[in-house]
Amino acid sequence: MAPPPFLYYARDTVFDFRLDPQAKLPVFRQIVDQMHFAIATGALGPGQRVTSLRTLSARHGVAINTLVKAFKVLEQRGLVRAVARSGYRVVGAGAPDSGRRRQGTTSRYAARGVSATKKEVHGAIATLDPGLYPGAFCKITEDYLTGDPDLCSVIHADGSGTKSLLAYLHYRETGDPAVFRGIAQDSLVMNLDDLLCVGVTDRILVSTTINRNAKRIGAEVLQELILGTEAYLARLREHGVGIYSGGGETADVGDLTRTAVVDSCCCATLPKSDVIDGSGIRPGLVIVGLASSGQAHYEDRENSGIGSNGLTSARHDLLSSHYRKRYPETFDPGIDPALIYTGPYRLSDALPGSRQSVGEALLSPTRSYAPVIRALLTAERRLVKGLVHCSGGGQTKCLRFGRTVHFVKDSLLPIPPIFKAIQRASKTSWKEMYQVYNMGHRMEVYCTARDARRVIEAARDFGIMARVIGRTERASGGKNHLTVCHGSKRLTYDAP
Amino acid sequence: MAPPPFLYYARDTVFDFRLDPQAKLPVFRQIVDQMHFAIATGALGPGQRVTSLRTLSARHGVAINTLVKAFKVLEQRGLVRAVARSGYRVVGAGAPDSGRRRQGTTSRYAARGVSATKKEVHGAIATLDPGLYPGAFCKITEDYLTGDPDLCSVIHADGSGTKSLLAYLHYRETGDPAVFRGIAQDSLVMNLDDLLCVGVTDRILVSTTINRNAKRIGAEVLQELILGTEAYLARLREHGVGIYSGGGETADVGDLTRTAVVDSCCCATLPKSDVIDGSGIRPGLVIVGLASSGQAHYEDRENSGIGSNGLTSARHDLLSSHYRKRYPETFDPGIDPALIYTGPYRLSDALPGSRQSVGEALLSPTRSYAPVIRALLTAERRLVKGLVHCSGGGQTKCLRFGRTVHFVKDSLLPIPPIFKAIQRASKTSWKEMYQVYNMGHRMEVYCTARDARRVIEAARDFGIMARVIGRTERASGGKNHLTVCHGSKRLTYDAP
């Protein structure tokens, strides 16, 4: 019988291998990989003694020469050191420091019980392991799934948030459950486009969770959510993005939700050498913005650019009291009624400056930039210095990445009609608008001025407008800083 | 520059490799693995022509002999066949059939908007890919993460469901947020113990998602949920279960939830040869039940056995109208008030027949059986014919596994006091009780009568009561069937 396939780490004691002579990987590589992984993940701590090579040789039937060769490689990597007459000991690895920083709070958003800044959350997680690349867009860990020290893993969760309520309103008013297919897409893209920012465009496994109130969200809606997920994944695969469904979960939790919460979780592994880390975002680069609106070649219809962030505010600021009276299940009764459905529109009303209705624009499914980023990384990986998905935090999201960077956004794409309508209806300050919404582009590629043309062409190949929307300079004062030019006004934002 | 690390499948055209001479795996194995994986996942379909070996040799600089050797292996595996003067063509793989079947509905449960049977959900997913092992407890896919055809992947999502509302009530009444640590555990274990049933006890990556109403669930609760997750994962690792946090997501969605929804998602890879499939559950075995109550050596205090299933009913059936008046945010206002908090107890009342209070018993965190199952699978993998986590569906969960099996449960463990109290308060029929709750054991190990002693000892090594609670016979009528002996009564259940 083959030995058990996975490592076993005895606690507080010497390390042992699980070597399989029948495995694809040569035994020498198995030893190197298992030791390297155990040290990288802390299963073997600094100073810990390694079982003598003589003992290992006898126990596993491995030639002593193979072990010597393997430990030489580990020594070269700085993972172990030979101690006279005492065999090998583990050398410690430096603790990574946290490079994550976020942005200040906003009032109207907070009054509705939504924190754009997640300050509280960051307090709770401040003590946690920030992963291998603390400055990266997503948390990245050693590849616990396979134990290969050359690979790393990402598991990432997100969802469609309160955008599902817009689908619910549309469904209730029209009877058409197919609108929930867009929500399935929103949930997936909110995940996938975060993953793009660390360099993942392939080998992605996804699971979707639907928490529903079964009295309001029936089988026909579930079906659209489930089949919509499958259909959107198939479409992404058609465009070269390797993303696959591993299943999903549906829970009936009517005491927890009045309608439906649609979340998804993506898992991927990638070579460490392919990771895109926030550290590439430095002064002296240009920022290419990829439009959130228009119609990409891989989209069926025009996209309003709305995405899935800020939808609590957008819904209440644009939609009228008609919905407050008819659908009390779509808002928190604990919120000041003066903030509930305070806008001028019904879903079917025309959106000014657009061919879309207000409902179409609000429900426009979040565009994934995966086909573009995949093409770019396949052809020109080295020119991409950084990627920022302008999700929560909108145009200020970039403040979390790089160090001592002054982001200057002085040539933004035109503001799509949906954001203009939200601002007009809510009188939200422009400064806050840029903190909540993407305002025209939801993906930023950081590269040298010389390479910008190639990024822009890659986007245009897919029918997506792109241009240099700004640049990075050195910030004075030691912190990241952002200037957004809105018409003749300069809006400024500091990293906290 | 090394070639891009991942495969690219051109659509409707010949297959191409991404070979890396610098990689750890020999080029010959890379070819075999990439072809095998592409065929297994359908990227290469039946009848499709493979680029000629001559062309591949020239394009990739691989010796023709290496290619010949690789394609011989693929031919032996039945994946390709040589066609005279036309090179190789792909042979189709048989479509897997669905072995999943579930159980009938119950009235009181349904009236509260909870479907124990998920019939609707199953309708929606009937058309979907059931994965590699349709009879297994979880959906299992090809290992999309690494592309190794000898491995497979599981991504699995679940959560604490409405049990978070009990924590909320306790928190509001006592001010103690630490009660939410148990909810973190509930969410993890509902995932992990499903994974155990397919043979996963190691190399697990997990992500937790908290959807909250920020007005009611503040930073101190988030902190307990996040730190509670980390602490419980560390405890599992101390007992040899390799499970690691890859991060999490917190969303403020007050318009969607009145309180908090705590979900998690686990991802793991394992060798296909290690998968435990439902097909091992056949007539002629015994069923060893592992107690859900008592105190395992790895638990800090007594466990009531409640788990995380049936908590909507348990909460309303046991708790008194005190909670209806004070905490309207903890139930769906659309439900008949005659079904809301209809019980005799407050959380602090003593639970009859127990040293615990009603609150302690209801909030008792779901026990994981991972340390036991890990020890069992490490030492005696071959004796385990099947594993069933008695989660949704309670004691009838087994009906979903195996074919033409009559499950006879005639020697069940004593019913823990919490379930007796629920039945007494609600007058729920005993037949329904066994369909909703685990009633005493939440994990079943299927093995031969001769091996039962070793399973029982493995459980007892961890302080968990276990015994042969029943057996499997051949069912007449072609469908699975279950008989539960409750005192002198025989309760019978048919697979739908």
Side-chain angles (χ1 to χ4, degrees), chain B residues 151-226:
Chain B
L151 301 180
C152 53
S153 296
V154 194
I155 188 164
H156 195 67
D158 212 325
S160 59
T162 59
K163 196 164 176 178
S164 60
L165 289 166
L166 281 159
Y168 177 80
L169 292 175
H170 178 90
Y171 166 60
R172 288 295 306 274
E173 299 252 300
T174 67
D176 177 16
V179 66
F180 280 96
R181 289 196 171 225
I183 299 301
Q185 176 175 334
D186 291 318
S187 177
L188 290 169
V189 174
M190 291 304 288
N191 258 286
L192 175 59
D193 282 26
D194 282 359
L195 288 183
L196 299 180
C197 297
V198 296
V200 172
T201 62
D202 201 357
R203 303 280 172 103
I204 305 164
L205 203 54
V206 60
S207 171
T208 300
T209 295
I210 305 164
N211 283 292
R212 68 162 177 167
N213 187 313
K215 298 255 179 224
R216 295 208 179 89
I217 302 292
E220 61 178 10
V221 172
L222 286 186
Q223 176 145 333
E224 294 299 333
L225 284 168
I226 293 170

Side-chain angles (χ1 to χ4, degrees), chain A residues 24 144 148 203 255 315, chain B residues 24 144 148 203 255 315:
Chain A
K24 286 183 263 198
Y144 289 109
D148 186 331
R203 302 280 172 104
D255 283 353
R315 182 166 41 90
Chain B
K24 285 184 264 198
Y144 289 108
D148 186 332
R203 303 280 172 103
D255 284 353
R315 183 167 41 91

Side-chain angles (χ1 to χ4, degrees), chain B residues 28 32 53 66-78 80 82 88:
Chain B
F28 156 72
V32 172
L53 302 195
T66 304
L67 286 158
V68 168
K69 195 173 135 203
F71 275 78
K72 279 267 178 293
V73 171
L74 293 165
E75 202 169 9
Q76 279 159 14
R77 293 186 185 175
V80 298
Y88 282 95

Side-chain angles (χ1 to χ4, degrees), chain B residues 375-440:
Chain B
L376 196 59
L377 294 182
T378 302
E380 330 244 18
R381 190 157 204 121
R382 300 306 149 197
L383 73 73
V384 177
K385 305 300 180 200
L387 293 165
V388 172
H389 180 201
C390 308
S391 51
Q395 282 305 322
T396 69
K397 187 79 165 190
C398 57
L399 283 166
R400 283 176 44 199
F401 303 98
R403 284 165 189 251
T404 329
V405 178
H406 178 198
F407 299 85
V408 181
K409 300 186 179 179
D410 56 3
S411 187
L412 289 164
L413 289 163
I415 298 174
I418 185 71
F419 301 122
K420 289 184 180 166
I422 292 168
Q423 196 279 331
R424 222 173 15 246
S426 64
K427 311 278 185 295
T428 302
S429 73
W430 287 106
K431 180 161 182 172
E432 184 172 335
M433 288 296 293
Y434 285 96
Q435 286 177 299
V436 177
Y437 303 101
N438 71 70
M439 302 296 277

